[in-house]
């Protein structure tokens, strides 16, 4: 597991289970997500995706721990940790990967050497259109979540 | 030049002695000036703008948070200094600025440590510490980047933290207050993030507590942060963060 951030909760962004974020979620500090995010997630620090969360977004982060569902590509510059409950439907580029038994990874996985951090070259970080996201206000289909 | 504004509640008998002591102390310190006592018949905006036109550059408020808020909304866009002599209950802002209550504030005023503070702004009104919104079906648009749709009943607090730092942002805390069953709360469901501007949308007008004062604000309401907006005379014991 990557180093926990020094105890400064103020620098953390938290998205609770009842909150749904749509758009480009770009932050400076650590991000903890337990809700739903559609669009893009970007941070240079640590990202934690909790068990109840559903992400329809391309993710770029320094380190990541995923325990929820992600539909989108992941570009993790250092370490990616997939918990047993994680479901990834997208391509992954990272330097170090740790997959717990039970985790689902459906997509290409590209690993870079530790000296060179993960390169985004082979993973096209195409924006996820909100029209394609189930439950989104812009979605054409009617979905019951 | 110092210009003193007394809130209307200070006309009460119980403050007479304290005000006399303050006026004597201000004269001793050589910082006495013109005094104006507010009343229902006087328009505070007219009083202050007229005095600023006449060359007053330090507006000193004698009163509580409510008095300070009224004055801040008038002088925030003007090139003047704000001084405070806290009297009465509700003194969150003066505590945060490190200004002692009553007579002791005269020494702080005389020492004249000036710091510029950031002010939060909702539509055309300013706030110093925080504002609280409670309601359902609220849409928040943050920094024109992302949208949060809050359908359930939520308690949203927007805080102007670290007032003295010119680079800081507003902190937004969303606390979901929806009940799982009749009386059981849904557990801890708090979201927190920072942003420089926030647009609040709702089908109805929503009640907003601005610096603990209830106001009804029409939506859409634009909330932003005005950096280094106001020069304030502060005390040595000023806090880097507003009191909880």
């Amino acid at each position: 597991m990557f180093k926990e951030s020094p105890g400064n909760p103020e620098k953390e962004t938290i998205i609770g289970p009842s909150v749904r974020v749509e758009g480009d979620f770009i932050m400076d500090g650590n991000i903890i997500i337990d809700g739903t995010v559609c669009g893009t997630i970007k941070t240079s620090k640590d990202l934690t995706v909790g068990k109840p969360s559903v992400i329809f977004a391309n993710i770029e982060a320094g380190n990541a721990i995923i325990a929820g569902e992600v539909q989108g590509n992941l570009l993790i510059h250092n370490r990616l940790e997939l918990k047993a409950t994680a479901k990834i439907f997208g391509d992954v580029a990272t330097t170090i990967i740790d997959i717990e038994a039970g985790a689902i990874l459906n997509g290409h996985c590209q690993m870079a050497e530790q000296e060179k951090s993960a390169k985004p070259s082979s993973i096209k970080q195409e924006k996820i259109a909100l029209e394609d996201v189930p439950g989104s206000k812009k979605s054409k289909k009617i979905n019951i979540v | 030049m110092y210009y003193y504004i007394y809130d209307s509640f200070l006309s009460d008998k119980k403050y007479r002695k304290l005000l006399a002591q303050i006026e004597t102390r201000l004269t001793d310190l050589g910082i006495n000036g013109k005094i104006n006592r507010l009343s229902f018949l006087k328009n505070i905006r007219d009083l202050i703008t007229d005095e600023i036109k006449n060359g007053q550059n330090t507006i000193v408020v004698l009163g509580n948070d409510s008095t300070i808020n009224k004055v801040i909304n008038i002088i925030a866009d003007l090139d003047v200094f704000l001084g405070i002599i806290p009297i009465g209950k509700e003194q969150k802002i003066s505590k945060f600025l490190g200004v002692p209550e009553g007579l002791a504030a005269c020494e702080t005023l005389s020492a004249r440590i000036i710091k510029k503070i950031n002010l939060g702004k909702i539509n055309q009104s300013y706030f110093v510490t925080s504002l609280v919104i409670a309601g359902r079906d609220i849409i928040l648009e943050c920094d024109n980047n992302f949208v949060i749709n809050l359908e359930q009943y939520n308690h949203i607090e927007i805080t102007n933290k670290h007032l003295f730092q010119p680079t800081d942002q507003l902190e937004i805390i969303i606390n979901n207050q929806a009940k799982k069953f009749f009386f059981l709360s849904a557990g801890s469901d708090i979201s927190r993030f920072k942003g420089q501007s926030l647009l609040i949308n709702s089908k109805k007008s929503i009640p907003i507590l601005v610096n603990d004062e209830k106001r009804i604000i029409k939506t859409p309401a634009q909330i932003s942060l005005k950096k280094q907006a106001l020069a304030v005379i502060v005390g040595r014991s000023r806090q880097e963060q507003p009191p909880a």
Side-chain angles (χ1 to χ4, degrees), chain B residues 51-97:
Chain B
E51 290 303 329
I52 291 169
K53 275 179 200 164
N54 293 337
Q56 305 283 7
N57 66 356
T58 305
I59 313 294
V60 183
V61 177
L62 283 83
N64 55 20
D65 284 355
S66 168
T67 334
I68 296 167
N69 285 326
K70 280 181 215 160
V71 174
I72 278 175
N73 274 297
I74 298 162
I75 65 169
D77 296 318
L78 305 169
D79 189 22
V80 290
F81 303 99
L82 174 72
I84 301 163
I85 298 182
I87 303 174
K89 289 174 186 172
E90 301 297 328
Q91 295 293 354
K92 261 189 183 178
I93 297 172
S94 56
K95 271 184 195 160
F96 166 56
L97 297 172

Side-chain angles (χ1 to χ4, degrees), chain A residues 49-104:
Chain A
V49 176
K51 202 176 165 184
S53 56
V54 184
I55 313 284
F56 301 97
N58 290 322
I59 295 172
E60 187 176 344
N63 298 292
I65 298 178
I66 313 279
E69 186 178 329
V70 178
Q71 297 203 13
N73 297 332
L74 283 92
L75 173 61
I76 309 299
H77 294 286
N78 298 311
R79 187 186 172 105
L80 170 64
E81 196 175 322
L82 301 182
K83 297 284 182 191
T85 51
K87 290 176 186 174
I88 310 288
F89 302 96
D91 297 342
V92 172
T94 184
T95 311
I96 303 165
I97 191 163
D98 178 352
I99 307 177
E100 216 171 82
I104 296 168

Side-chain angles (χ1 to χ4, degrees), chain A residues 14 16-19 34, chain B residues 152-155 174-181 183-191:
Chain A
I14 301 168
S18 67
V19 171
D34 284 321
Chain B
Q152 292 177 322
Y153 190 85
N154 278 278
H155 194 269
I174 302 168
N175 192 352
N176 185 1
Q177 306 272 305
K179 305 285 184 204
K180 228 175 185 179
F181 296 107
F183 52 89
L184 289 174
S185 75
S188 172
D189 187 353
I190 293 174
S191 302

Side-chain angles (χ1 to χ4, degrees), chain B residues 158-214:
Chain B
I158 297 150
T159 313
N160 178 15
K161 276 200 166 183
H162 312 290
L163 293 203
F164 302 110
Q165 293 174 16
T167 55
D168 213 76
Q169 296 175 312
L170 292 163
E171 187 178 79
I172 299 120
I173 298 171
I174 302 168
N175 192 352
N176 185 1
Q177 306 272 305
K179 305 285 184 204
K180 228 175 185 179
F181 296 107
F182 294 110
F183 52 89
L184 289 174
S185 75
S188 172
D189 187 353
I190 293 174
S191 302
R192 184 175 61 206
F193 54 92
K194 286 189 173 185
Q196 288 197 336
S197 71
L198 194 70
L199 184 71
I200 298 176
N201 255 310
S202 172
K203 285 173 188 167
K204 302 171 192 167
S205 295
I206 38 176
I208 298 183
L209 280 175
V210 183
N211 297 322
D212 296 330
E213 263 184 79
K214 196 173 180 179

Side-chain angles (χ1 to χ4, degrees), chain A residues 9-28 137, chain B residues 145-150 152 154 161-162 171 174 176 188-194 241:
Chain A
E10 276 188 22
K11 291 205 169 173
E12 284 183 344
T13 297
I14 301 168
I15 299 298
S18 67
V19 171
R20 184 189 174 98
V21 178
E22 289 182 9
D24 297 329
F25 198 65
I26 300 162
M27 295 286 157
D28 296 330
K137 290 223 149 184
Chain B
N145 273 340
F146 58 89
V147 174
I148 297 176
N149 195 348
L150 303 165
Q152 292 177 322
N154 278 278
K161 276 200 166 183
H162 312 290
E171 187 178 79
I174 302 168
N176 185 1
S188 172
D189 187 353
I190 293 174
S191 302
R192 184 175 61 206
F193 54 92
K194 286 189 173 185
Q241 284 187 15

